[in-house]
Amino acid sequence: MTAHSFRDIERLSAYLDGELSRAERARLESRLARDAGLSAALDELRATRALLRRTPRRRVPRNFTLTPKMVGLRPPLPRAIPVLRWATVVTTLLFFLTFASNLIGSLTFGASAPAPMELAPAYGGVGGGPAENATEAASKGLAIEVTPTGEANALLAPAPQETTPAYGGGVGGGPAENATVATKKSLVIEATPTPEANALLAPAPMLEATPTPEVLTMKQPIPPSAPSAPEERAAKPPFRLSPLQIALLALAVVLGGTAIILRWRANRAFAKSVKRDE
Amino acid sequence: MDEPALIRSAQHGDLEAFNRLVLAYQEALFGTALRILNDADLASDATQEAFLSAFRGLNGYRGGSFRAWLLRTVTNACYDELRRRRRRPTSPLVPLDGDDEEVETPRWLADPHLSPEDQLEQAELEHAIQHCLDGLPADFRTVVVLADIQGLDYAEVAAVLRKPIGTIKSRLARARLRLRECLQAFRELLPSAFRLGEERGL
């Protein structure tokens, strides 16, 4: 057998397994008929293969079936969860979108804001307050500036009180009340937010409070600190969510919360079923 | 249920369907691992690992012999184990008790009607074959285990090992040649086994 080349052994081995082509097989068979040594080599290979085929089989020591725990199987996902998940994402994105658009809107508003601010002094020092109020008041021949602080009002109050006692109570109220009360008086009052300004201003209405139907403008030297405060307020609108934003936020919370609850319940049910199986 | 249907169900995550496939193929996978590794515990680990990775990678199965596909996972697990063993060569291959006796008592799959003599011969035959298999390089051993012990054809062995059929043919011939020489030494010990083999061959 050792006399045979490895190519021959390879052919004999494949011949045993029926893996030779028809032509190869025919050629080998004719050689086997003539060559006793080749034939003996084939017999030895065949005996070896037969022995290997009789290798005892061992019984498996245990079953190799897999448990859900082993494969880390995830509980079946409730069908609503992917939908809820996407809805939550979309709602949250919309919320931030409205927020972003509001931010952009307020920035452009901030740029155009100085225009009405500059006009305001022409109406007699109406520096701050809502723009609507100012024009409304101006059309009635009146310009009133109400300071936001009670302190300033308290300081201001005595001044008109001396000239017109009936007016006294009105100054402290909202801009609308003030406007109605003040129209009757045709009085131009400028109440600057700073006490120093007030001190300067206080005597002025008393001296020049003349009931004229015309718009009376009082050219008062406005202290530099006075317009700065309202200007800041106009540039930075108070942080408030629109009803749409509130609705979107609430929707996102509800959708997300529902998804979490559904998943939690599914997990719990799955854990129970796994425990039962084991 | 037929095999393709079970495979499809298992691919959709049906563990019960997969476990039916496990029961159908666990003998083949464990037997292969046992002959490659020559250690029942390591073979068990490799088999379990193979079924686990098979379940996880089941979507990678694209038709063909499912047995070959499963055997690929177990031979890969065996090669991983052999690499580990090469890194830690001091670990014993066969578990021994205090008296240096093999703890393992082979349990035969063969019928229990075997006579004590036959059982002894079975044990000796297994020992002889395993001894000779261990003397082969891993690549040759795997080919001969798949072809001659598990009974795969060349195409299936080629699919398991992802090697050309020519390579399988060559490795199998070389492995048989070397096994023939090795087993000659056991000829006196196993007269009936050799006789039987020759009778069957002729």
Side-chain angles (χ1 to χ4, degrees):
Chain A
M1 176 153 177
T2 42
H4 297 100
S5 69
F6 181 68
R7 294 292 301 173
D8 279 343
I9 298 297
E10 210 180 278
R11 268 188 211 106
L12 292 172
S13 171
Y15 174 71
L16 277 176
D17 299 320
E19 300 267 357
L20 284 185
S21 71
R22 193 184 289 260
E24 280 178 307
R25 196 174 64 214
R27 202 160 44 236
L28 188 68
E29 279 173 350
S30 74
R31 275 184 64 199
L32 282 167
R34 284 178 279 119
D35 188 338
L38 198 67
S39 184
L42 178 67
D43 289 344
E44 288 199 52
L45 269 182
R46 185 183 280 134
T48 305
R49 192 183 69 151
L51 207 60
L52 289 169
R53 283 183 171 183
R54 288 181 54 222
T55 305
R57 306 206 163 223
R58 292 265 196 105
R59 200 170 280 153
V60 287
R62 61 188 165 92
N63 279 336
F64 293 103
T65 49
L66 305 177
T67 64
K69 211 181 195 172
M70 285 164 78
V71 298
L73 205 64
R74 296 214 155 260
L77 208 63
R79 263 177 217 188
I81 283 190
V83 178
L84 283 170
R85 196 187 284 151
W86 277 107
T88 310
V89 168
V90 168
T91 315
T92 311
L93 282 176
L94 278 174
F95 170 74
F96 282 112
L97 207 65
T98 58
F99 194 74
S101 71
N102 270 13
L103 201 70
I104 292 161
S106 76
L107 283 175
T108 52
F109 173 74
S112 61
M117 297 291 291
E118 279 161 26
L119 284 173
Y123 291 118
V126 184
E132 296 156 39
N133 271 358
T135 48
E136 198 184 306
S139 69
K140 285 167 185 162
L142 181 77
I144 295 173
E145 189 183 22
V146 182
T147 58
T149 53
E151 237 179 285
N153 273 339
L155 282 163
L156 179 67
Q161 237 167 2
E162 275 170 40
T163 44
T164 49
Y167 181 67
V171 179
E177 289 166 47
N178 274 352
T180 50
V181 175
T183 35
K184 289 173 195 162
K185 308 288 165 196
S186 303
L187 187 71
V188 177
I189 296 168
E190 189 180 31
T192 50
T194 50
E196 310 121 38
N198 196 51
L200 284 166
L201 182 67
M206 284 194 286
L207 291 168
E208 294 180 35
T210 42
T212 46
E214 291 261 283
V215 175
L216 184 75
T217 56
M218 287 175 64
K219 279 288 172 188
Q220 284 289 333
I222 299 162
S225 67
S228 73
E231 211 165 3
E232 273 171 37
R233 263 197 300 158
K236 283 186 185 173
F239 181 79
R240 276 180 60 210
L241 295 174
S242 73
L244 176 70
Q245 287 174 325
I246 291 165
L248 284 173
L249 200 61
L251 192 63
V253 168
V254 167
L255 288 169
T258 312
I260 288 167
I261 289 166
L262 280 177
R263 167 151 249 171
W264 178 74
R265 282 173 59 183
N267 280 347
R268 209 175 49 162
F270 180 72
K272 268 186 196 168
S273 75
V274 167
K275 208 172 265 179
R276 217 177 28 244
D277 285 351
E278 285 169 355
Chain B
M1 214 195 290
D2 60 326
E3 188 175 285
L6 284 174
I7 293 167
R8 269 196 304 280
S9 296
Q11 279 175 330
H12 288 101
D14 184 347
L15 194 60
E16 217 169 292
F18 185 77
N19 278 337
R20 289 177 67 177
L21 294 164
V22 169
L23 293 174
Y25 287 108
Q26 60 181 5
E27 300 278 0
L29 265 66
F30 174 74
T32 303
L34 181 68
R35 294 301 160 219
I36 293 173
L37 297 173
N38 188 22
D39 182 300
D41 287 338
L42 291 177
S44 285
D45 291 349
T47 306
Q48 191 67 81
E49 199 183 305
F51 278 123
L52 201 57
S53 74
F55 182 74
R56 289 185 178 140
L58 204 53
N59 287 320
Y61 169 72
R62 308 236 183 278
S65 165
F66 189 61
R67 176 170 67 156
W69 188 80
L70 280 177
L71 283 168
R72 176 168 179 78
T73 63
V74 84
T75 52
N76 283 343
C78 287
Y79 281 142
D80 287 346
E81 179 52 40
L82 290 174
R83 271 192 291 273
R84 268 196 293 276
R85 190 186 286 179
R86 212 177 300 149
R87 279 200 297 272
R88 296 179 283 105
T90 48
S91 62
L93 302 187
V94 179
L96 301 173
D97 65 11
D99 302 325
D100 272 11
E101 293 290 325
E102 283 188 27
V103 175
E104 185 79 25
T105 323
R107 284 181 292 164
W108 310 114
L109 192 66
D111 63 303
H113 307 298
L114 280 178
S115 67
E117 294 80 35
D118 287 344
Q119 283 189 22
L120 186 69
E121 199 185 284
Q122 283 272 59
E124 282 175 350
L125 177 65
E126 188 189 27
H127 178 252
I129 289 171
Q130 190 63 61
H131 172 84
C132 291
L133 281 173
D134 284 349
L136 293 176
D139 287 339
F140 291 69
R141 182 161 69 234
T142 307
V143 171
V144 82
V145 165
L146 291 171
D148 286 343
I149 297 178
Q150 295 300 325
L152 271 63
D153 62 29
Y154 287 19
E156 274 186 304
V157 178
V160 172
L161 300 174
R162 304 239 169 112
K163 291 276 191 290
I165 285 185
T167 306
I168 303 305
K169 198 159 111 180
S170 156
R171 282 184 185 173
L172 185 59
R174 205 173 282 281
R176 281 170 173 169
L177 197 60
R178 287 179 69 162
L179 285 172
R180 186 192 66 86
E181 282 155 18
C182 175
L183 288 166
Q184 287 294 333
F186 292 88
R187 191 158 211 159
E188 315 308 307
L189 262 168
L190 301 161
S192 67
F194 274 84
R195 238 183 359 259
L196 243 159
E198 276 164 18
E199 276 164 23
R200 276 187 192 170
L202 293 168

